[in-house]
Amino acid sequence: MGSLPHVVEDCLGIVQVYSDGSIFRLSDDQINFRNITVKDDGSVVWKDIIYNDRNKDGKENLYLRLYKPITTKCITNKQQLPIIYFFHGGGFCVGSRTWPNCHNCCLRLSSELEALVIAPDYRLAPEYRLPAAMDDAFASIKWLQHQALSNRITYDADDDSWINHDYDRVYVIGDSSGGNIAHHLALRFGVGSPELAPVRVRGYVLMAPFFGGSLRTKSEEEGPDEPFLNMQILDRFWRLSLPIGATADHPLANPFGPLSPKLEPKKLDPLLVIVGGNELLKDRVEDYANKMKELNKDVHYFEFEEMQHGFFTNDPFSQVANMVLQEIKYFMCKTSS
């Protein structure tokens, strides 16, 4: 008799891959979020919408969550709100718009930046390996284009504030694997995002983008394990999310890998790159920003001392998060025209 199936890959206890190829995944309501509580003071309203109905039985519907501040200077002055896309992290294997850390982050972004925030889910590995997440991220922004062309973001006939936003001022923010997504969207759309008209992406914010490579950086080799991240976890994320047989030098993992597209001729909208000083990914993110600057890209790089991976998303109401928001505000102001 053969042996019973056993776990061969374990992602934080949330996703487990068995020796027979089967996959077990906890539902969002089964996950212990270790005392992360939602901080909703009522200043922002939100709702979920399907943006990609993949089949009629509804098993693969993809949702996004919309956030709108109730009262802002923009609304008071009848000005239009900017639009922010927020792509969550999780190594392409875990994460959701419904997780309390992601929800808190979007509540804060919407209220502090006075913006309509759109937080899409995307298909996760290993059930759906890359480029599935990239395809879904693209589809979520094409959804916005469809709304712009048909003027369909209207949910209450007596409340026009849902449609009081500016399709010409869209920003993409991504955390970790979401930051990787933001990079690839920037490459795909190019300057002015002409294929999205009348939607216009003005800039991209990459928070500790999850990039990889076959050669370890100094911070990866010498950096201490973080509370929720170590090199074993990072390597596992790549094994499970990249196409089978691919290495961390795959173009979707390493922007400067041997098979990656040459970035010098690419014309990109401005990038704001943020990382914590005590992150395993710090050197890789800093190297990305420096190389992009050498290629004459408009890149603004900020490193926050002593911070570890996910410091903004996991505590968006902290003092250092306030500093991050100030940098994003300045970036949005600088790139708004």
Side-chain angles (χ1 to χ4, degrees), residues 208 274-282 301-309 311:
I274 294 170
V275 72
N278 277 0
E279 296 202 39
L280 292 173
L281 293 174
K282 196 269 290 186
Y301 173 79
F302 288 92
E303 181 180 315
F304 290 85
E305 294 182 2
E306 306 301 323
M307 294 295 105
Q308 295 186 324
H309 197 66
F311 70 92

PDB file of all heavy atoms in Angstrom, residues 208 274-282 301-309 311:
ATOM      1  N   ALA A 208       7.579  48.157  -0.625  1.00  0.00           N
ATOM      2  CA  ALA A 208       8.394  46.937  -0.476  1.00  0.00           C
ATOM      3  C   ALA A 208       8.007  45.899  -1.517  1.00  0.00           C
ATOM      4  O   ALA A 208       7.580  44.795  -1.174  1.00  0.00           O
ATOM      5  CB  ALA A 208       8.280  46.371   0.923  1.00  0.00           C
ATOM      6  N   ILE A 274       8.883  52.571  -1.627  1.00  0.00           N
ATOM      7  CA  ILE A 274       8.974  52.673  -0.162  1.00  0.00           C
ATOM      8  C   ILE A 274       9.398  51.326   0.406  1.00  0.00           C
ATOM      9  O   ILE A 274       8.919  50.282  -0.038  1.00  0.00           O
ATOM     10  CB  ILE A 274       7.611  53.101   0.424  1.00  0.00           C
ATOM     11  CG1 ILE A 274       7.256  54.521  -0.030  1.00  0.00           C
ATOM     12  CG2 ILE A 274       7.603  53.001   1.947  1.00  0.00           C
ATOM     13  CD1 ILE A 274       5.835  54.934   0.296  1.00  0.00           C
ATOM     14  N   VAL A 275      10.292  51.357   1.398  1.00  0.00           N
ATOM     15  CA  VAL A 275      10.737  50.118   2.025  1.00  0.00           C
ATOM     16  C   VAL A 275      11.155  50.395   3.460  1.00  0.00           C
ATOM     17  O   VAL A 275      11.516  51.527   3.809  1.00  0.00           O
ATOM     18  CB  VAL A 275      11.917  49.494   1.228  1.00  0.00           C
ATOM     19  CG1 VAL A 275      13.192  50.303   1.403  1.00  0.00           C
ATOM     20  CG2 VAL A 275      12.126  48.031   1.606  1.00  0.00           C
ATOM     21  N   GLY A 276      11.082  49.373   4.299  1.00  0.00           N
ATOM     22  CA  GLY A 276      11.553  49.485   5.673  1.00  0.00           C
ATOM     23  C   GLY A 276      13.037  49.175   5.766  1.00  0.00           C
ATOM     24  O   GLY A 276      13.566  48.338   5.027  1.00  0.00           O
ATOM     25  N   GLY A 277      13.733  49.836   6.678  1.00  0.00           N
ATOM     26  CA  GLY A 277      15.177  49.657   6.818  1.00  0.00           C
ATOM     27  C   GLY A 277      15.582  48.293   7.338  1.00  0.00           C
ATOM     28  O   GLY A 277      16.731  47.874   7.150  1.00  0.00           O
ATOM     29  N   ASN A 278      14.670  47.588   7.997  1.00  0.00           N
ATOM     30  CA  ASN A 278      14.984  46.267   8.559  1.00  0.00           C
ATOM     31  C   ASN A 278      14.268  45.139   7.828  1.00  0.00           C
ATOM     32  O   ASN A 278      13.960  44.106   8.414  1.00  0.00           O
ATOM     33  CB  ASN A 278      14.608  46.219  10.049  1.00  0.00           C
ATOM     34  CG  ASN A 278      15.687  46.814  10.920  1.00  0.00           C
ATOM     35  OD1 ASN A 278      16.717  47.272  10.428  1.00  0.00           O
ATOM     36  ND2 ASN A 278      15.468  46.825  12.216  1.00  0.00           N
ATOM     37  N   GLU A 279      14.014  45.325   6.557  1.00  0.00           N
ATOM     38  CA  GLU A 279      13.344  44.290   5.772  1.00  0.00           C
ATOM     39  C   GLU A 279      14.352  43.370   5.113  1.00  0.00           C
ATOM     40  O   GLU A 279      15.418  43.810   4.658  1.00  0.00           O
ATOM     41  CB  GLU A 279      12.484  44.931   4.674  1.00  0.00           C
ATOM     42  CG  GLU A 279      11.330  45.772   5.174  1.00  0.00           C
ATOM     43  CD  GLU A 279      10.242  45.934   4.130  1.00  0.00           C
ATOM     44  OE1 GLU A 279       9.960  44.941   3.425  1.00  0.00           O
ATOM     45  OE2 GLU A 279       9.677  47.028   4.030  1.00  0.00           O
ATOM     46  N   LEU A 280      13.993  42.109   5.009  1.00  0.00           N
ATOM     47  CA  LEU A 280      14.795  41.182   4.219  1.00  0.00           C
ATOM     48  C   LEU A 280      14.891  41.648   2.766  1.00  0.00           C
ATOM     49  O   LEU A 280      15.908  41.451   2.098  1.00  0.00           O
ATOM     50  CB  LEU A 280      14.182  39.782   4.257  1.00  0.00           C
ATOM     51  CG  LEU A 280      14.208  39.031   5.597  1.00  0.00           C
ATOM     52  CD1 LEU A 280      13.416  37.734   5.478  1.00  0.00           C
ATOM     53  CD2 LEU A 280      15.637  38.738   6.015  1.00  0.00           C
ATOM     54  N   LEU A 281      13.850  42.283   2.283  1.00  0.00           N
ATOM     55  CA  LEU A 281      13.807  42.727   0.891  1.00  0.00           C
ATOM     56  C   LEU A 281      14.439  44.096   0.672  1.00  0.00           C
ATOM     57  O   LEU A 281      14.473  44.583  -0.456  1.00  0.00           O
ATOM     58  CB  LEU A 281      12.352  42.769   0.407  1.00  0.00           C
ATOM     59  CG  LEU A 281      11.626  41.432   0.282  1.00  0.00           C
ATOM     60  CD1 LEU A 281      10.158  41.655  -0.065  1.00  0.00           C
ATOM     61  CD2 LEU A 281      12.286  40.552  -0.771  1.00  0.00           C
ATOM     62  N   LYS A 282      14.972  44.712   1.732  1.00  0.00           N
ATOM     63  CA  LYS A 282      15.437  46.103   1.637  1.00  0.00           C
ATOM     64  C   LYS A 282      16.443  46.311   0.522  1.00  0.00           C
ATOM     65  O   LYS A 282      16.305  47.208  -0.315  1.00  0.00           O
ATOM     66  CB  LYS A 282      16.021  46.547   2.970  1.00  0.00           C
ATOM     67  CG  LYS A 282      16.174  48.079   3.093  1.00  0.00           C
ATOM     68  CD  LYS A 282      17.505  48.592   2.632  1.00  0.00           C
ATOM     69  CE  LYS A 282      18.621  48.190   3.596  1.00  0.00           C
ATOM     70  NZ  LYS A 282      19.917  48.827   3.198  1.00  0.00           N
ATOM     71  N   TYR A 301      12.543  57.400  -3.959  1.00  0.00           N
ATOM     72  CA  TYR A 301      12.813  56.277  -3.060  1.00  0.00           C
ATOM     73  C   TYR A 301      12.861  56.770  -1.617  1.00  0.00           C
ATOM     74  O   TYR A 301      13.535  57.757  -1.305  1.00  0.00           O
ATOM     75  CB  TYR A 301      14.146  55.624  -3.426  1.00  0.00           C
ATOM     76  CG  TYR A 301      14.607  54.559  -2.458  1.00  0.00           C
ATOM     77  CD1 TYR A 301      14.067  53.274  -2.493  1.00  0.00           C
ATOM     78  CD2 TYR A 301      15.594  54.832  -1.512  1.00  0.00           C
ATOM     79  CE1 TYR A 301      14.490  52.293  -1.607  1.00  0.00           C
ATOM     80  CE2 TYR A 301      16.033  53.853  -0.626  1.00  0.00           C
ATOM     81  CZ  TYR A 301      15.474  52.590  -0.678  1.00  0.00           C
ATOM     82  OH  TYR A 301      15.903  51.626   0.198  1.00  0.00           O
ATOM     83  N   PHE A 302      12.132  56.063  -0.730  1.00  0.00           N
ATOM     84  CA  PHE A 302      12.139  56.407   0.691  1.00  0.00           C
ATOM     85  C   PHE A 302      12.301  55.140   1.517  1.00  0.00           C
ATOM     86  O   PHE A 302      11.591  54.156   1.318  1.00  0.00           O
ATOM     87  CB  PHE A 302      10.849  57.135   1.094  1.00  0.00           C
ATOM     88  CG  PHE A 302      10.761  58.529   0.563  1.00  0.00           C
ATOM     89  CD1 PHE A 302      10.146  58.778  -0.660  1.00  0.00           C
ATOM     90  CD2 PHE A 302      11.315  59.592   1.261  1.00  0.00           C
ATOM     91  CE1 PHE A 302      10.076  60.057  -1.169  1.00  0.00           C
ATOM     92  CE2 PHE A 302      11.249  60.882   0.754  1.00  0.00           C
ATOM     93  CZ  PHE A 302      10.634  61.115  -0.466  1.00  0.00           C
ATOM     94  N   GLU A 303      13.248  55.202   2.448  1.00  0.00           N
ATOM     95  CA  GLU A 303      13.507  54.085   3.357  1.00  0.00           C
ATOM     96  C   GLU A 303      13.194  54.536   4.780  1.00  0.00           C
ATOM     97  O   GLU A 303      13.667  55.592   5.211  1.00  0.00           O
ATOM     98  CB  GLU A 303      14.971  53.670   3.245  1.00  0.00           C
ATOM     99  CG  GLU A 303      15.371  52.501   4.120  1.00  0.00           C
ATOM    100  CD  GLU A 303      16.843  52.161   3.932  1.00  0.00           C
ATOM    101  OE1 GLU A 303      17.311  52.111   2.772  1.00  0.00           O
ATOM    102  OE2 GLU A 303      17.536  51.955   4.964  1.00  0.00           O
ATOM    103  N   PHE A 304      12.399  53.745   5.476  1.00  0.00           N
ATOM    104  CA  PHE A 304      11.993  54.086   6.832  1.00  0.00           C
ATOM    105  C   PHE A 304      12.751  53.204   7.816  1.00  0.00           C
ATOM    106  O   PHE A 304      12.568  51.985   7.852  1.00  0.00           O
ATOM    107  CB  PHE A 304      10.477  53.935   6.989  1.00  0.00           C
ATOM    108  CG  PHE A 304       9.703  54.985   6.226  1.00  0.00           C
ATOM    109  CD1 PHE A 304       9.406  54.804   4.875  1.00  0.00           C
ATOM    110  CD2 PHE A 304       9.317  56.161   6.837  1.00  0.00           C
ATOM    111  CE1 PHE A 304       8.715  55.776   4.158  1.00  0.00           C
ATOM    112  CE2 PHE A 304       8.625  57.146   6.138  1.00  0.00           C
ATOM    113  CZ  PHE A 304       8.328  56.952   4.798  1.00  0.00           C
ATOM    114  N   GLU A 305      13.602  53.836   8.601  1.00  0.00           N
ATOM    115  CA  GLU A 305      14.499  53.121   9.503  1.00  0.00           C
ATOM    116  C   GLU A 305      13.736  52.231  10.484  1.00  0.00           C
ATOM    117  O   GLU A 305      12.649  52.586  10.949  1.00  0.00           O
ATOM    118  CB  GLU A 305      15.361  54.114  10.294  1.00  0.00           C
ATOM    119  CG  GLU A 305      16.342  54.908   9.433  1.00  0.00           C
ATOM    120  CD  GLU A 305      17.201  55.829  10.267  1.00  0.00           C
ATOM    121  OE1 GLU A 305      17.061  55.817  11.505  1.00  0.00           O
ATOM    122  OE2 GLU A 305      18.023  56.566   9.674  1.00  0.00           O
ATOM    123  N   GLU A 306      14.339  51.094  10.772  1.00  0.00           N
ATOM    124  CA  GLU A 306      13.873  50.139  11.776  1.00  0.00           C
ATOM    125  C   GLU A 306      12.571  49.430  11.401  1.00  0.00           C
ATOM    126  O   GLU A 306      12.121  48.535  12.113  1.00  0.00           O
ATOM    127  CB  GLU A 306      13.674  50.825  13.145  1.00  0.00           C
ATOM    128  CG  GLU A 306      14.892  51.581  13.653  1.00  0.00           C
ATOM    129  CD  GLU A 306      16.099  50.684  13.815  1.00  0.00           C
ATOM    130  OE1 GLU A 306      15.919  49.525  14.225  1.00  0.00           O
ATOM    131  OE2 GLU A 306      17.212  51.140  13.508  1.00  0.00           O
ATOM    132  N   MET A 307      11.969  49.785  10.280  1.00  0.00           N
ATOM    133  CA  MET A 307      10.688  49.175   9.908  1.00  0.00           C
ATOM    134  C   MET A 307      10.895  47.854   9.184  1.00  0.00           C
ATOM    135  O   MET A 307      11.874  47.669   8.460  1.00  0.00           O
ATOM    136  CB  MET A 307       9.888  50.126   9.022  1.00  0.00           C
ATOM    137  CG  MET A 307       9.426  51.400   9.721  1.00  0.00           C
ATOM    138  SD  MET A 307       8.238  51.077  11.061  1.00  0.00           S
ATOM    139  CE  MET A 307       9.294  51.321  12.491  1.00  0.00           C
ATOM    140  N   GLN A 308       9.939  46.940   9.399  1.00  0.00           N
ATOM    141  CA  GLN A 308       9.981  45.639   8.756  1.00  0.00           C
ATOM    142  C   GLN A 308       8.844  45.491   7.751  1.00  0.00           C
ATOM    143  O   GLN A 308       8.019  46.386   7.588  1.00  0.00           O
ATOM    144  CB  GLN A 308       9.940  44.528   9.810  1.00  0.00           C
ATOM    145  CG  GLN A 308      11.176  44.516  10.710  1.00  0.00           C
ATOM    146  CD  GLN A 308      11.211  43.327  11.652  1.00  0.00           C
ATOM    147  OE1 GLN A 308      10.185  42.890  12.151  1.00  0.00           O
ATOM    148  NE2 GLN A 308      12.398  42.799  11.906  1.00  0.00           N
ATOM    149  N   HIS A 309       8.827  44.355   7.080  1.00  0.00           N
ATOM    150  CA  HIS A 309       7.916  44.157   5.964  1.00  0.00           C
ATOM    151  C   HIS A 309       6.457  44.308   6.402  1.00  0.00           C
ATOM    152  O   HIS A 309       6.042  43.763   7.420  1.00  0.00           O
ATOM    153  CB  HIS A 309       8.132  42.768   5.363  1.00  0.00           C
ATOM    154  CG  HIS A 309       7.549  42.605   4.002  1.00  0.00           C
ATOM    155  ND1 HIS A 309       8.000  43.295   2.900  1.00  0.00           N
ATOM    156  CD2 HIS A 309       6.527  41.819   3.559  1.00  0.00           C
ATOM    157  CE1 HIS A 309       7.307  42.941   1.840  1.00  0.00           C
ATOM    158  NE2 HIS A 309       6.395  42.055   2.206  1.00  0.00           N
ATOM    159  N   PHE A 311       4.965  47.123   7.259  1.00  0.00           N
ATOM    160  CA  PHE A 311       4.779  48.039   8.390  1.00  0.00           C
ATOM    161  C   PHE A 311       3.634  49.013   8.171  1.00  0.00           C
ATOM    162  O   PHE A 311       2.957  49.404   9.121  1.00  0.00           O
ATOM    163  CB  PHE A 311       6.082  48.796   8.704  1.00  0.00           C
ATOM    164  CG  PHE A 311       6.494  49.819   7.670  1.00  0.00           C
ATOM    165  CD1 PHE A 311       6.103  51.140   7.782  1.00  0.00           C
ATOM    166  CD2 PHE A 311       7.307  49.459   6.604  1.00  0.00           C
ATOM    167  CE1 PHE A 311       6.496  52.084   6.843  1.00  0.00           C
ATOM    168  CE2 PHE A 311       7.715  50.396   5.664  1.00  0.00           C
ATOM    169  CZ  PHE A 311       7.294  51.711   5.777  1.00  0.00           C
TER     170      PHE A 311
END
